């Protein structure tokens, strides 16, 4: 399993979909899996039940997905805040931190109304605070850090694929377009 972590708006879902397509393996967005379980949007649940209860559900879903999903997993921005989540993801997958500056994330998200943690009077300050608090935790969870500030999605996908090639975990039939579902999840760095 390949796992993408990073700030909200760092490109996890967009890069994850494209990476899964290129490798011909399944893609799952953990926030969408959470919404399917809850029957409502993350934002609605977050507003109604609060962050702590949302993080409980998120942990359950990440534990389930990290045991059953054989593909690319895009996680929510706060998914690695809990130590158990970092452990699930790091031990059961290959974790890539898509590292974006707060300024770059703000440029991408300034008109997005669906990010609960950014619905504040000063979203730029909030992003800087999130980055300062989460950057060390993302790095702790990650096997690899990919800087995302300006490269295109296809360049980011190529960077991840190159990392997988270097460690020998690229699906074997990639060139034929029928990639293997197995990615040697037992190998760890």
């Amino acid at each position: 399993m390949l796992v993408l972590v990073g700030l909200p708006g760092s490109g996890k879902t967009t890069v994850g979909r494209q990476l899964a397509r290129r490798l011909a393996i399944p893609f799952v967005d953990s926030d969408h899996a959470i919404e399917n379980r809850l029957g409502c949007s993350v934002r609605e649940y977050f507003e109604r039940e609060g962050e702590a209860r949302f993080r409980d559900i998120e942990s359950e879903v990440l534990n389930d997905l990290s045991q059953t999903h054989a593909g690319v997993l895009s996680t929510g921005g706060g998914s690695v805040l809990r130590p158990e989540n970092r452990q699930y993801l790091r031990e059961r997958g290959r974790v890539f931190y898509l590292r974006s500056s707060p300024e770059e994330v703000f440029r991408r998200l300034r008109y997005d109304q669906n990010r609960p943690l950014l619905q504040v009077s000063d979203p730029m300050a909030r992003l800087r605070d999130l980055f300062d608090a989460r950057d060390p935790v993302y790095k702790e969870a990650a096997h690899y850090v990919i800087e995302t500030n300006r490269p295109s999605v296809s360049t980011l996908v190529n960077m991840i694929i190159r990392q997988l090639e270097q460690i020998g975990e690229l699906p074997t039939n990639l060139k034929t377009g029928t990639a293997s579902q197995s990615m040697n999840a037992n190998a760890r760095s």
Side-chain angles (χ1 to χ4, degrees):
M1 174 179 66
L2 303 176
V3 182
L4 303 180
V5 300
L7 285 175
S10 61
K12 299 177 301 287
T13 300
T14 303
V15 171
R17 278 195 179 110
Q18 190 76 323
L19 179 62
R21 202 172 295 130
R22 281 273 307 275
L23 298 176
I25 58 178
F27 170 78
V28 172
D29 181 301
S30 67
D31 281 347
H32 293 143
I34 291 167
E35 289 175 343
N36 288 339
R37 184 174 289 190
L38 296 174
C40 66
S41 74
V42 167
R43 181 179 178 172
E44 289 172 57
Y45 192 82
F46 208 94
E47 289 172 356
R48 189 175 66 238
E49 302 294 331
E51 184 174 1
R53 183 64 192 127
F54 171 75
R55 298 292 176 208
D56 292 341
I57 300 296
E58 181 178 55
S59 287
E60 293 170 15
V61 169
L62 289 172
N63 184 34
D64 292 347
L65 288 172
S66 66
Q67 293 181 72
T68 61
H69 182 64
V72 178
L73 173 62
S74 169
T75 63
S79 64
V80 297
L81 294 176
R82 291 189 173 178
E84 65 266 27
N85 294 350
R86 292 192 299 275
Q87 181 180 351
Y88 299 150
L89 299 174
R90 188 165 170 84
E91 290 179 358
R92 299 172 187 166
R94 190 60 67 186
V95 181
F96 291 84
Y97 168 23
L98 300 184
R99 189 172 190 263
S100 295
S101 70
E103 293 76 17
E104 182 65 18
V105 171
F106 182 74
R107 185 185 66 76
R108 293 177 192 160
L109 296 183
R110 64 184 172 262
Y111 303 115
D112 189 337
Q113 299 299 311
N114 294 315
R115 310 284 178 152
L117 289 175
L118 300 180
Q119 302 311 306
V120 294
S121 61
D122 188 351
M124 185 66 224
R126 179 68 173 141
L127 283 168
R128 285 187 181 114
D129 291 344
L130 285 174
F131 181 83
D132 291 344
R134 293 180 180 181
D135 186 57
V137 182
Y138 292 136
K139 287 178 179 175
E140 178 187 327
H143 294 96
Y144 302 99
V145 177
I146 306 289
E147 296 289 338
T148 67
N149 284 331
R150 283 291 178 187
S152 67
V153 171
S154 61
T155 299
L156 293 171
V157 168
N158 288 336
M159 292 167 73
I160 293 169
I161 289 173
R162 276 195 298 274
Q163 287 290 334
L164 294 170
E165 286 174 334
Q166 289 176 356
I167 61 172
E169 290 194 14
L170 191 64
T172 56
N173 296 327
L174 177 62
K175 292 178 183 169
T176 65
T178 57
S180 166
Q181 295 288 338
S182 171
M183 298 205 44
N184 190 8
N186 295 324
R188 299 288 170 248
S189 51

